[in-house]
Amino acid sequence: MSNDAASSSAGASAKPSRKPKYSKFTQQELPACKPLLTPGWVIAILMLVGAIFIPIGAIALLASNSVVEIVEQYETSCLPANITTKEARIRYIQDDTTEKSCPMTLTVPKKMNNPVYVYYQLDHYYQNHRRYVKSRSDKQLLDGASTSNSDLDSCKPLKQFNNTPIIPCGLIAWSLFNDTYLFSRQNSAPIPVNKRGISWKSDRDHKFGSTVFPSNFPNNLNRNESSSAFIGGAALNVSQPLSEAEDLIVWMRSAALPTFRKLWGKIETDLQAGEIISVNITNVYNTYEFGGKKKLVLSTASWLGGKNNFLGIAYLTVGVLCIFLAIVFFLIHYKTPRPLGDTSYLSWNRKGNVNGLS
Amino acid sequence: MFFGRNSFLSSQEEQPRTENGERIGHGPSRSSTGSRSDGSAHLDVSDPSFESFRELVSGSDLQSEVFGAPGSMQSENAPATARSRLFSVISSKGPQAHDRHPSSSSGAGGPALPAARTDARKERVVYVDNPGRTNENFEFSGNKVRTSKYTLISFLPRNLFEQFHRVAYIYFLLIVILNQIPQLAVFGRLASLFPLLFVLVVTAIKDGYEDWGRHRSDREENNRLSWVFQNGRFEPKRWKKIEAGEVVKIFQDESIPCDIVLLGTSDANGVAYVQTINLDGETNLKTRYARQESASKHPGLAPITGKVVCEPPNRNIYDFVAYLEIDDTQAPLGPNNIILRGCVLKNTAWIVGVVVYAGKETKAMLNSSGAQSKRSRLEQHMNKETLWLSFFLLIICIAGGVGMGKWVHDHDSDLNNFPYYKKRDTADKKFMYYGPFGEGVFAFLSFIIMFQIMIPISLYISMELVRLGQSYFMVRDVEMFHAPSNSRLQCRALNINEDLGQVKYIFSDKTGTLTENKMEFHSASIGGVDYSNVLAAKISGTSDSSDGMQVEGSHLKSGVRLDPNLLELLQTEVTSSEATFVHRYMLVLAACNTVVPTRHSGSLQYQAESPDEQALVFAASAYGYTLLDRTTSTIVLDVLGEQKSYKIVGIHEFDSVRKRMSIVVECPDNTYKLLVKGADTAVMDIIARPSEQVESGSGSLADGHLQAGVLFATQRHLDFYSTQGLRTLVVAFKDLGQPEFEEWHEKYKRASTALVDRVKLLREAASLIERNLALLGATAIEDRLQDGVPETISSLRNSGIKVWVLTGDKQETAISIGFSCALLTPDMEKVIVNANTKELCVEKLKSAIREHGITETKDVHVVEKNLNAVKGDSTRKKQLALIIDGNSLVHALSPDVEELLFDLAVACRIVICCRVAPLQKAGIVSLMKRRTKDMTLAIGDGANDVSMIQTADVGIGLSGQEGRQAVMASDFALGQFRFLKRLLLVHGHWNYQRLAYMVLYNFYRNAVFVMMLFWYILHTAFSAQTALFDWNLMFYSLIYTSVPTIVVGILDKDLSHKTLLGLPPLYGVGQRNESYNSVLFWATMLDTLWQSLVLFYVPFFTFQGTTIDIWGMGCLWAAAVVVLVNLHLAMDVLHWTWITHAAIWGSIVVSFACFFVLDALTDKGFIAHYRVMFHMASTAVFWLNILLVIVVALLPRFCAKVLMQKFWPSDLHIARELELKNRAAISEFVKSSAPSPRMVELDDVPYSDKESKEDE
């Protein structure tokens, strides 16, 4: 309320002027650049995009093509020939008594420079399912047994076993991949696989405790001690801290998509072209329940990562498309030029339109 | 700061610096009745036009619009009228008559009798100078006022309570609650609370800041001091401590702390002058009276014992019913005996009064609430699209839910063995598994939580902020500052800025809106002779009064046009009949009015309630008849240097039925004279006809033949004046014979003291003597057009806006004004509808429609097309102008005829309605509002425009000469009519463009994000998993992308103001909804679909079958979407200032900074995401993906834009090209292809090269 109406009927002139102060800002007249998509600009922009994209595409394609990749799908080929139904396969995979090693040979198509990465690839495996992604306790992975019970709630349904908390708890750790591969050359000289340094350093240092050891882990139980339903995957070395269990660390970085690869190890020798490598696969991981495929992948890497032509092709396509569009727009502009600011295009100037105004 | 929220008390900052104002609700036809000599003239209920209008509106929605609005005092005038009729009905029954004590003091005319709702049992008794006894029941409020809403303690609960009244917040809350259910928890607890907390906190800070300002002013107000009688003398006391019943003393220029009943004043007659500008915005001084019974008493001398019995507190500031019981006598009190809080005492040394209402019970405080809220057209459309978005949301959630259900159903038997599902826990109990149907339902709810931002809640907050910013610039536009009245644009309504860009119809008042409402005496017709030769002279130079005082109208032009012949005639001593006419004429001008002369630092000033009266008094003064003093009983005139005193015997105030004012004075020579002035129709009827028997008392001037000549000549002059657009009044007088005087005097005395039917009795007394008058002549007052009105109107017309003028003027005046302000042009064909009966009216309308080939149809556009088709003929029919008068409108607005009126009016280029009553103005606006979808705008300056302003979509008030009711009721207030052009064509256009784009962009921005999330769930077995980190999800619309939209919404500028003003048709973009419509919405949604697919699938195909982890992928998506939507915006920005650059690029930088910071935190809530962004950003694929996403996503939009501009360029685009090309081209173009010769030229300042060439 302003009762200080000092302005008597006559003395109102004493009031200060309310004239707004002039500034370029308040008058909305700040210097500005006003881009307009004139034909010249349009063609230039499209040409530029084309000029940038085509080389990138070419380089990316080259990089992808330089990658040598061997993919071997083995989840059916490693089964005895008589096992064909789903039930039989599950029974087979859950039976600890049968020998499951599966020898295979791979031919190196091109020279593979070291390091050669060894991946396993799983298809149709929803590591990104919400139940699965949530089913872990990052706190426990770092702090171990001192983690409060409520922090472990997220681990359900694999929170505790026999009323004792599972370390590491949760579906992810429980379902750890446990197929193994033994590589050897033709002359049966084994090819060593380095399983160190396959996980992120930041994970090892900050996410997985160096004092946390697995305990009460259902996979470590003998299948006879418990229902086979509680054996999900690999057992863990109880004397190895989690921060060194790199397979676990890799596995627990849930994949984004249902088809994914995970790094299993690195072969640190070159593989020569034409060389035949034998692999002894222990096929024990159960993907038969959900019909998932298992693949063993040996691959070199480029600056762009693994073998994937998508980026290169996409860049090339878009680049070519842009050049094409640039030409089309140039032709359009050339054939039917519209002078800049042609006022006859204004709605009220167009023929047959009297609606604008009269 | 926060415009429009302030109570009317606090908006005094915008006071117009005018001297003269006008009280609320004057008669329906102003210029003809002219002599609004009566301040209290209410819109009279017995006015036939008003009666039928009421019938007309009863039952229609107009009634609620016009008669409703109880929250706003500015609408008081309409209900006041309705109520006064009610009162007169009730009072004639008179069950409570003894309770009412209408004031007998002058000026209490009009039907403002006590409120019937006053319950006798609820009356309040105030014991004078006895606050203890008065307040012993503690029922009366103290004087402490609180306009603030909150206290420190109540702030949190109350603010939260108010905030949750908004549906949006409830939606937020529900989402948060849903998220707390474990089965549904998509987000972490804290993260899910964040959006709600954010908006709550932002809103609370805004509310708290506003309230803090109110707290401060309250504190200041409450601690002011006034002199209160206590302990036997007057002592200063803080306002908040003042109680009802106390006696206070106020000195000159002090504010009144509470509502007080006057007991005594420094004036012997008990007169006090107050300024009520804080209350009703009127700037003239009002007189208030102390009762004679108490005037002589002074609490300092002897204790006053008595009581005031008054009605309970109410908000009607023009009414007060009470009586004062003092010394065993009862004296009635009326509105003239009370001074309200907020007034300022003027020209009176001191007053003493007793507090009757204090604090929140004062009328001022009771009125200080209620700002109407309107919703803009754009927002209404937007809500429709929001519903569509809700529908999309529902669809994708249902799709997700069904997908989940089906997936679970298909795998039901195996689920427990899926390593990634496992429906039983280690104790072999079911874990969160509810079967296909249950899982589907839970998934559906989870998706609602996940996709919640599909409904752009943040948009509402952004829009408020953008409008605030737009208002900031509108208010500060120097081009819309009016120096003489020292007024800027005021934005009183915050939420309809963009409506200014879509106006199709403008309804304009005339007086004070198109004209200046600064009345100047123009011509005089005296005794049949026209004196209109012009000789501008300073009033001071001609005023040869003895003491050499100066008369200066502080804001009126001091120059008065003087006719030398007339001047000469007055100053010669010859007594011809001509001179007698002239002298009497001048006497009427000087005496027959309610102007109060006041002296201010030696110079004489006139306080007039109507500018016309002031002009007349000035004119009389210039010719030597100076009004020196006026009290309730005498008028002192300086007649050619000689002071003469006239005793006032009786006054018949102006009312809208009689449309005249008369005054009976006893002249110095002890004769009684009746002086009359009024509207020509009202006075000509009571002029003595030559054929009639002339009564003896009328004197020589009433000689039959002479009168006949005068009558004829005066009538001719009147007609001539009106065609000149002048406001006319007729002046008459009569010598009263003794018997006639006695008879009248007796009746008058009885009438003026009557408690019941006083108005009626007074009117009867008036009719006794107001007959057989001698005609003296007529006056013509010029009300000049405001600067730039013709240019503004032609610009508005060129911009496709239809301008209607609604005026109280006579038809001839209206037409002449129409020509002078470029509304009417000679090539237009005028359709004049002027009918007194309904049949005639219908017939006229029908014939006009037939004649001009207008098809009767409800569809406006068809009408326009037909009309255009007609126009397209080789003969090319003339444009139509409809001129319709108030009487015809009474019939034309009735429900069965209004369609005819509508069809005709829509087909006409312009419409002028003359002699319309205030409610008819509202009725016309309401008609257009109901029948078209087009935006209506009403502009006016007076109380009579209030209902129209409130009815229209956009109401604009001019802070002009007539007080501030119009401004109070308006959404925007301007200083001058000409600013309307800039307000609409420039700011309106910008506001509309900006907000329209912003809304579409916000829809896109949220939808593209949600769709991107949706595609992912197709690859997660329909589980509600996002790859994005919780905090990125929450920050997306609040931090990562919000600032640029707001900045662009405030600052982007499609065209410069010069272009917009130079090419008014560009305004049509808004009228045709070109920047926001369903087509654009669906096109945007299609684009959104494409962009979301690109956003999702480019990374998907890149990383298919690689080691990418979910959070790494999420980082890529988050980064890509943030960069994409910001670049999308950048692509559409038309006006890059450094602020825009800072906002857009800054936003991207800030987002990336957030990504990195969030991924560097190792807290429990963040560890899952630890270092992910660092890993991703170190790969080339990440950056190549972002680049690819952006180019592929934006390419279709880019091409569409190019093709649109190439083949279907919009007007705006061409204009932008023109701007780019050069300035000269525009000027040339404007000259060559202007659709109308009246196209406004652009000023010749060339564009600065910087502005237009910078981009080349």
Side-chain angles (χ1 to χ4, degrees), chain A residues 32-87:
Chain A
C33 146
K34 297 190 265 187
L36 193 65
L37 287 177
T38 55
W41 274 107
V42 170
I43 292 164
I45 290 170
L46 287 172
M47 292 300 268
L48 185 75
V49 171
I52 293 172
F53 268 48
I54 290 175
I56 292 181
I59 294 170
L61 211 54
L62 278 180
S64 172
N65 282 336
S66 73
V67 171
V68 186
E69 194 180 70
I70 307 168
V71 182
E72 188 66 38
Q73 184 174 344
Y74 65 86
E75 87 281 349
T76 42
S77 53
C78 280
L79 289 175
N82 57 341
I83 297 178
T84 48
T85 65
K86 189 176 160 192
E87 289 72 27

Side-chain angles (χ1 to χ4, degrees), chain B residues 291-505:
Chain B
R291 292 297 309 184
Q292 288 301 322
E293 289 83 348
S294 65
S296 53
K297 301 193 185 298
H298 189 270
L301 303 174
I304 304 177
T305 51
K307 61 178 182 181
V308 177
V309 181
C310 55
E311 58 187 338
N314 63 62
R315 57 191 309 167
N316 187 349
I317 60 172
Y318 298 115
D319 200 2
F320 176 64
V321 183
Y323 62 89
L324 172 71
E325 197 173 290
I326 193 164
D327 300 340
D328 298 325
T329 59
Q330 287 191 357
L333 297 174
N336 279 358
N337 304 113
I338 186 168
I339 304 183
L340 304 178
R341 182 185 180 124
C343 299
V344 179
L345 189 65
K346 293 286 177 187
N347 294 350
T348 312
W350 53 263
I351 57 166
V352 169
V354 59
V355 178
V356 287
Y357 305 122
K360 64 172 190 280
E361 291 173 347
T362 57
K363 289 174 186 287
M365 296 307 294
L366 289 171
N367 271 303
S368 64
S369 62
Q372 76 261 16
S373 72
K374 292 180 176 173
R375 281 241 308 268
S376 79
R377 183 69 46 94
L378 184 70
E379 202 172 323
Q380 288 167 23
H381 281 287
M382 191 186 95
N383 287 339
K384 199 177 74 194
E385 267 80 49
T386 309
L387 279 182
W388 270 112
L389 287 176
S390 316
F391 180 69
F392 298 156
L393 174 67
L394 211 64
I395 293 288
I396 61 174
C397 290
I398 288 175
V402 168
M404 172 64 117
K406 184 172 185 303
W407 188 86
V408 169
H409 177 260
D410 291 349
H411 300 91
D412 199 17
S413 52
D414 303 323
L415 274 182
N416 195 41
N417 301 321
F418 280 16
Y420 54 87
Y421 200 94
K422 203 150 178 73
K423 63 187 182 188
R424 286 174 183 279
D425 67 10
T426 46
D428 205 29
K429 278 189 248 161
K430 269 194 180 172
F431 170 72
M432 286 201 195
Y433 181 74
Y434 306 92
F437 181 75
E439 286 297 300
V441 170
F442 277 123
F444 169 76
L445 292 174
S446 303
F447 290 137
I448 287 187
I449 300 172
M450 201 165 119
F451 302 147
Q452 56 175 295
I453 65 162
M454 186 77 157
I455 315 288
I457 305 285
S458 61
L459 178 56
Y460 290 92
I461 304 166
S462 309
M463 279 171 83
E464 278 195 23
L465 291 173
V466 165
R467 290 193 186 117
L468 205 67
Q470 291 176 343
S471 304
Y472 173 90
F473 285 116
M474 277 152 69
V475 168
R476 272 165 191 73
D477 190 338
V478 283
E479 302 283 320
M480 291 201 287
F481 173 74
H482 187 231
S485 66
N486 197 21
S487 58
R488 306 174 173 191
L489 170 86
Q490 291 176 64
C491 289
R492 297 178 52 82
L494 261 188
N495 38 8
I496 56 166
N497 285 352
E498 60 276 16
D499 277 356
L500 291 174
Q502 299 191 275
V503 172
K504 189 82 196 241
Y505 290 93

Side-chain angles (χ1 to χ4, degrees), chain B residues 172-189:
Chain B
F172 261 136
L173 188 68
L174 282 178
I175 299 280
V176 170
I177 292 171
L178 271 183
N179 193 56
Q180 303 310 310
I181 302 171
Q183 282 83 353
L184 304 178
V186 175
F187 306 130
R189 296 252 157 96

